[in-house]
Amino acid sequence: MKEKFKRGKWKEFLDWAQNKSLSMLHYCTGCGAIELPPTMTSRYDMSRFGIGQAATPRQADLLLVTGYLSTKTLRRIIYTYEQMQEPKFVVGFGSCTINGGMYWDSYNTIKQLDKYLPVELYIAGCMPRPEAILDGFLELKQKIDSGEAKGYEEYEENIEFYHKNQEEVLGEVQRTQ
Amino acid sequence: MINILTTALHFIGITIFSAALGLFFMGIARKIVARIQKRYGPPIYQPYLDVIKLFGKKAITHGFIFDFGTIMAFGGVIATLFFVPLGAWTLYSLNGTVVLIIYLLAIASLGMAMGTVGSGNPQASIGISRALTQMLGYELPYLVILFGLIYKYQTSSVFGLAQAQAGGIMNWNLFTYPVATVLAFVILIGMTGKKPFDAMIAPSEIGSGPVVESGGKYLGMMMLQKSITIIVELALFVNLFLGGADNILSFSIKMLIVWILATMVGSLFPRFKIEEGVKFFWKWPLIIAIIQVLFIIY
């Protein structure tokens, strides 16, 4: 309640609009990509909650990391994330993004996504079914509406931490932010 | 002084009304496409929320040319709007407005082209070059039909052409020249960039074309531009072939019917390649339009 008072009426209004209209970037890694077509099309139809697709990172506000991330893909994910316009949110899919999942001892995948990017929400499962994805999205919408989803601010505040972790696995990273 | 003020208010009112109506039409189109695909679809007011959200986001600019191109696209389409009679709202009934509107619509596209040059994204350049090529395709048969109508009614103002069809439903060009109306309807689908002719947007192929690099506020402005463009094109069609209207309500309803039909037809077809689209426009619509015009003249 106190947090809400701090936001101010205008910010509250913008957050409300943001939670009603989310454009999802269709960048798919790993096996979670398979779960998204049924979530988008006629069986589960997430557009009724105001979640649509965006074609490019510039137009998107929701970045889905759908599965394991090899270090090669992580570099692209970071470029993509830094090209997106604020406010922007990251959702991690499945156990691979939480603790490595079945790739826990792999030499070229990362184990924990939130060391590299600020994750708003994880959807557990291997892989999560469309119902679980929709449930996760509804929770994300609630978090945005109440002003709790502030991952992009966290990223800017702790930018050294994130940059250090990223450079540990990737070496040099070309920066746009 | 009072006169200038009322004119300015009139301009602002028409702009806001058209943007709001265009967004409403876009919402209806999304719902119709969803229902055709057996989905529930987003709420009808979704485009309004999208615009509010986009204007609330941060945006990155790619330099002065990018800003200028976006504003030129938006301003060009608003300038076009003032020459189109919307029901009883007719600001200009000069001779030659038909040709003027066709010219001014090109300004919006050229503004977009300028923006894409500023952003420097190759996909955006491909998109806008496709849009301009397609414009070359559909304008030829459209102008042939328009010159036929201008010859028939001996006036080249949109208002005059709408007035000439007054006096009963059977005087509409829809019933006097049904072939020309069907052609113009096909061309309208091409103008609004609906499905068979959406090679310039092609989200899965070139990443939404001219707006690839527009994020946040720029995309919101592009969305408003799109909504007003829809209204201009539909209003032109309704004035030329459905006899216009004497008040804004029945005019909007006529536009809505045309828009729903165009959306339904558009959601049934897969996408043409750009050269196929232009070939299509230069083949059958052009031949039939020339025959129709010869029929009107002799």
Side-chain angles (χ1 to χ4, degrees), chain A residues 13-14 16-18 20-23 40-42 45 47-50 55-56 58-61 85-87 156, chain B residues 37-43 46 49-50 52-53 56-60 62 203 207-208 211-215 219:
Chain A
F13 173 67
L14 288 183
W16 171 81
Q18 177 71 66
K20 291 282 179 190
S21 148
L22 282 168
S23 344
M40 281 188 278
T41 48
S42 37
D45 182 29
S47 75
R48 65 203 152 115
F49 302 115
T56 64
R58 295 267 186 237
Q59 304 166 4
D61 16 56
Q85 309 291 311
E86 289 174 6
E156 279 194 353
Chain B
Q37 295 174 351
K38 268 188 156 183
R39 289 188 289 124
Y40 184 75
Q46 185 67 38
L49 294 172
D50 284 354
I52 294 170
K53 176 204 80 173
K57 272 175 85 103
K58 278 191 182 169
I60 190 168
H62 301 276
S208 70
V211 292
V212 164
E213 284 289 326
S214 318
L219 191 62

Side-chain angles (χ1 to χ4, degrees), chain B residues 244-256:
Chain B
D246 53 358
N247 62 43
I248 191 68
L249 185 67
S250 55
F251 195 79
S252 303
I253 290 170
K254 279 180 184 176
M255 283 201 287
L256 182 61

Side-chain angles (χ1 to χ4, degrees), chain A residues 166-177:
Chain A
Q166 289 165 5
E167 275 152 18
E168 242 166 46
V169 286
L170 296 177
E172 202 182 328
V173 182
Q174 194 186 332
R175 295 289 172 203
T176 50
Q177 190 178 1

Side-chain angles (χ1 to χ4, degrees), chain B residues 50-81:
Chain B
D50 284 354
V51 167
I52 294 170
K53 176 204 80 173
L54 286 171
F55 276 103
K57 272 175 85 103
K58 278 191 182 169
I60 190 168
T61 176
H62 301 276
F64 173 70
I65 297 292
F66 184 71
D67 296 2
F68 185 76
T70 310
I71 289 173
M72 185 171 155
F74 192 49
V77 79
I78 291 175
T80 321
L81 183 68

Side-chain angles (χ1 to χ4, degrees), chain A residues 149-167:
Chain A
K150 288 282 173 240
Y152 55 98
E153 283 175 5
E154 200 184 295
Y155 188 72
E156 279 194 353
E157 278 164 22
N158 307 323
I159 196 131
E160 280 116 25
F161 168 77
Y162 287 111
H163 280 189
K164 194 175 116 290
N165 285 339
Q166 289 165 5
E167 275 152 18

